[in-house]
Structure formats: structure tokens, C-alpha cells
Amino acid sequence: MKKFLALMVIAAMTLFSVSAFAGVDLKIDDDTFSKFGAKARIQYSASNPGTDKVVVGLGEGRIYFAGQVTNTVKFGFNYDFAVSGAVGAGGGRASDALVQFDLAKEFKINTGIYRMAFSRIGLQDSYQYILINSPEVGATGYVSSGLAGWRVGGVTVWGDLANGMIRYNVGVSDGSYAPAASNEIGMSARVVLNFMDPEKGYTCPGCYLGKAKVANVGVGYFTQDNSAGTQTYTATTVDGFYDANNMTLEAAYFMYDYDTGAATGDSPSGWYVEAAYALDKIQPAVRYESWDADGTANADYTKILAGVNYLISGHDAKVGVEYAMKDFDGTGVDTDTLTVQVQVQF
């Protein structure tokens, strides 16, 4: 056992002594190549009320592969895993497994399992957030319980028009809204208007850390019927994003319609606004969230988060601290949570 542990320590030291977290490239020729690597977020968390001790866990781990077979046939695969407990969902799963047909900058096709193009936060890589946790108000309804968060299995057509000024996404899926999921067809759409640099790739980061100047406004829509045909679920969102000169600003509004026919609770809504500013290797960040549960008893809340990141090497190696205060309007249990996170990726 001691020999095994020693070997594991040596392997870990070898892994994390890599000077640049850039993944490993495998190249056959100019048209056929792949990149693979790993990511991890180690978290220390304590909450009040709740546990009176610090819980240590793997917030998320990931092994990824991405590349192309030809200039028009590309692929991506993410396998995410976490330990069980207060930090981490437990187990592992293929969060993303997609094939992309890159036919033109105006016309691309994704098929497989991938992030739904509905909201900006749903398209963001969790390893590039400005705060440790994503906005709670943006994770309602259309986030599937059968797949990883914000993912769907389906087909999406997307591309950039007018030299990148307009990004469009239109998709059909096998169902994402968990209470209604029974292989019912889900339909999603998103349009983004860019005012500065167009964003590259299908997904997007929470901030660019000086690598781009981006300003845009996006609108998203999702709808799905339940298996009995008695309920139509819809979700809409409007979001705005700005990132330039070390400053990041983001805001979004969400409205959900469950169409249940009940007197209350049919149309909850929420919004958030967040900001960050990078001072060399120090990046403080704040967020305010508000949720209106549309009559559901004691479910309205506001949430304030404040944190700071120490950017050892951008998003590739950083340490973050986040303090979150969630206050309910009524008899709901208010909660304060402190989280510390160590993140690496290569």
C-alpha cells in the first residue's frame, strides 16, 4: 500500500509540474488531429444552518477529448465525475458526446449530447466562471435530470451571419424538461447580437481575462409538451454580456411557464446581475439574484454572492473563495455558504 501511494504521489507531481496547461495534441496531418486533457475543481464548503464542519469534495472532475477527422467533421467528448457528499453529485457520466459538421461559418450542425443553446449561462464552461457556482435562477425547468446540467440529446443548427454580428441557434431534442421528459420533442432557439468581437466556438466562457473584447445581447426560447399532452412547458430568457479592459458584466432575466392550470405557481421568474474586475492576478466578483416563485409558498428569495479569484495561470490554475447568502421571503430557511475552490486544467 505504501509503495502504491508513493507511486501515486510521484505521478501527481509529474502531472502538475507541466508548465503550461494546454492539453496534449495528437496530430496525424493538417486535417486530422485531436487534443485531450483533464480538469479538476477541489472544493471546501461549510454552510449555516446546516453542517458545522468543512466538507471537502471533488466539485467536478473532467477528462476531455476534442478534434476533427476532416475540416468539416469535428467531435468533442467530456466525461465528468465527482465524489458523493455535500460537494459533488457523485458518480460519473458522459456530459458531452457530440459530432459537429462544420459546413460553413453560417451553417454548422451539432448532433449528440451537448449544451442547449438557450441561455448564456447554460453555454458557459463551468471552469471559466467568475464565481464558483452558477446563478441558481438560471437552472430551473429546462435543466435535465437525466443528462448533465443544461445538456440535451438532439440536433442543433447554428452559425454566424453578417461577419459574426449575429449568432443563431435552432435545435430539436429528445426532451430536457425533466417532469415532462418521455421522449417528447423539445424545441429551442437562441439569437445573439454582437457589438464587438464575435465569440468563437459553440460554447462561451464566463470571462475572457483580456483575450477578447466582447459585448452582446441574447434572446433564448425553449418549449416542450409532457408525455400525456396535457401540459406545455416554455422558458424564455434575455441576457447581456460585456467583457473588455479587465471588466466583466453579465445580466439575465428568465421566465418559465408550466401551464399546469393551477391557481398559483404557473409562471415563476428570476434574474441576476454579476460583475468582476481582474487586477493582475486578483479578480473580485459579485452577483445578485432574485427569484419570484409566482405564489408558491415561502419560495421567493434573493441571493447575494461575493468572491475573489487568485489567478495563478488564468483559468488553468486558480484558487477561488465565494460567500453566498440566500434569504427567503417568508418561512423558508435562510442559508449562508462559504466555499473555497482549487482548480486546475490542462
Side-chain angles (χ1 to χ4, degrees), residues 8 40 184 240 285 294 325 330 337 343:
M8 291 299 292
E184 295 300 310
D294 189 30
M325 298 174 289
T337 305
Q343 173 177 302

Side-chain angles (χ1 to χ4, degrees), residues 207 209-210 245-248 276-284 311:
C207 66
L209 297 178
N245 302 318
N246 299 318
M247 177 177 287
T248 303
Y277 190 82
L279 300 164
D280 193 18
K281 293 184 177 296
I282 304 298
Q283 184 190 39
L311 306 170

Side-chain angles (χ1 to χ4, degrees), residues 54 237 261-262 265 305 310 315 336:
V54 175
T237 185
L305 300 90
Y310 177 60
H315 293 300
D336 294 351

Side-chain angles (χ1 to χ4, degrees), residues 67-237:
Q68 64 179 47
V69 180
T70 70
N71 286 331
T72 58
V73 181
K74 303 177 181 180
F75 64 89
F77 176 84
N78 291 332
Y79 187 85
D80 289 330
F81 52 91
V83 298
S84 60
V87 179
R93 58 193 171 192
S95 301
D96 302 275
L98 68 91
V99 174
Q100 180 183 113
F101 297 96
D102 190 351
L103 305 178
K105 65 180 181 179
E106 298 87 359
F107 189 79
K108 308 174 192 289
I109 302 173
N110 283 6
T111 185
I113 301 171
Y114 51 89
R115 289 177 176 267
M116 182 198 297
F118 166 72
S119 66
R120 181 178 182 87
I121 190 63
L123 288 170
Q124 284 185 17
D125 183 352
S126 56
Y127 291 88
Q128 297 178 327
Y129 288 160
I130 62 173
L131 287 159
I132 294 174
N133 293 292
S134 63
E136 188 173 343
V137 299
T140 300
Y142 78 98
V143 179
S144 172
S145 61
L147 300 174
W150 289 299
R151 266 74 168 189
V152 294
V155 179
T156 293
V157 176
W158 63 285
D160 295 320
L161 307 175
N163 294 321
M165 182 178 295
I166 300 173
R167 162 71 60 87
Y168 77 91
N169 305 75
V170 179
V172 294
S173 62
D174 61 0
S176 177
Y177 171 47
S182 181
N183 290 323
E184 295 300 310
I185 300 270
M187 294 179 289
S188 62
R190 178 171 171 81
V191 176
V192 177
L193 180 62
N194 290 303
F195 302 100
M196 298 172 69
D197 295 343
E199 296 189 88
K200 300 178 181 179
Y202 179 78
T203 59
C204 56
C207 66
Y208 282 91
L209 297 178
K211 295 181 179 180
K213 293 184 177 181
V214 175
N216 57 44
V217 174
V219 178
Y221 177 80
F222 174 75
T223 185
Q224 179 187 339
D225 292 337
N226 68 359
S227 57
T230 59
Q231 177 185 348
T232 299
Y233 168 79
T234 59
T236 56
T237 185

Side-chain angles (χ1 to χ4, degrees), residues 262-330:
T264 60
D266 276 356
S267 302
S269 61
W271 58 273
Y272 71 85
V273 58
E274 63 181 16
Y277 190 82
L279 300 164
D280 193 18
K281 293 184 177 296
I282 304 298
Q283 184 190 39
V286 294
R287 180 193 301 139
Y288 181 86
E289 303 182 40
S290 178
W291 178 252
D292 180 354
D294 189 30
T296 302
N298 304 312
D300 295 356
Y301 67 82
T302 59
K303 192 173 183 180
I304 300 174
L305 300 90
V308 61
N309 298 312
Y310 177 60
L311 306 170
I312 302 171
S313 180
H315 293 300
D316 293 336
K318 66 181 181 181
V319 179
V321 179
E322 176 192 278
Y323 190 79
M325 298 174 289
K326 186 177 181 180
D327 297 323
F328 284 91
D329 182 11

